[in-house]
Amino acid sequence: MTKTEFAARLKNACAAVLSAEDELTQIDSRFGDADHGLTMAKIAGAIAHAVDQPEGGIQSMLDDAAMAVMTLNGGSAVPLWNTWLDGMQQAAPEGDEIDAAGLKAVFAKALEELDDMSGAKVGDKTMMDALIPASQAIAAYEGTDEDGLFQAAAQAAAQGAENSKQFVSKFGRAKSYGEKTIGTPDAGAVSMSYFFQGLARP
């Protein structure tokens, strides 16, 4: 996969998140601050703009995306996404090509960095409910084509976001609502799922 192809997938991922802004706001309005849609629209817009620059290789592109997110004002998603993207760039190649093995390294490092910061696990009703399964699917993928890798990740992320409906919120404002949060998916997991759905579109 070339840098241009990877950038196109990232822009598709951002477009998927942007198209879900109203849905994310509606989900977050139930037990959160009703700002997740707006925050994710800012994040997606910043990433899409950053990866559209012609200079530099894949590592530089992901570093630009992380920096663009870091400068945003927004909710708790901003530092989490900055950390995740920064982890990606740490393992990314400096050149303009990346294969399935390289993508595995990128997403493994990204999860490692975010896990150190977040501490949230599957079942805590956070973005990690989608991200951890997606990352595990990437790690377990045995093929060599990037399309299959991203399809597997997207399926796992979607199932993880759906599963988050069953859980009680353990973090953030929603935590105070306890078992009332059962039946509603986590907004962060849903936005992460949309991101992976977009990544799966070349």
Side-chain angles (χ1 to χ4, degrees), residues 9 22 46 48 51 59 66 72 78-79 115 126 147 152 154 160 162 178 181 193 195-197 201:
R9 286 183 183 266
D22 290 347
V51 302
Q59 184 178 54
L72 297 174
V78 168
D115 186 53
T126 71
D147 199 52
E162 178 67 20
T181 59
S193 174
F195 192 83
F196 274 102
Q197 309 311 307
R201 293 197 288 272

Side-chain angles (χ1 to χ4, degrees), residues 10-99:
L10 287 165
K11 284 188 280 187
N12 287 341
C14 293
V17 171
L18 283 165
S19 70
E21 180 179 354
D22 290 347
E23 178 187 346
L24 296 172
T25 298
Q26 191 262 333
I27 293 170
D28 194 39
S29 68
R30 295 179 199 172
F31 304 107
D33 298 322
D35 64 346
H36 189 70
L38 177 61
T39 298
M40 286 310 305
K42 289 181 182 177
I43 290 171
I47 294 171
H49 179 72
V51 302
D52 211 20
Q53 307 306 312
E55 297 84 14
I58 291 172
Q59 184 178 54
S60 176
M61 174 179 74
L62 293 171
D63 186 43
D64 286 347
M67 292 293 289
V69 171
M70 185 177 72
T71 62
L72 297 174
N73 292 318
S76 59
V78 168
L80 295 170
W81 276 76
N82 165 249
T83 299
W84 187 53
L85 290 162
D86 188 58
M88 279 192 202
Q89 70 86 17
Q90 289 181 40
E94 293 183 4
D96 291 337
E97 297 275 346
I98 189 166
D99 58 10

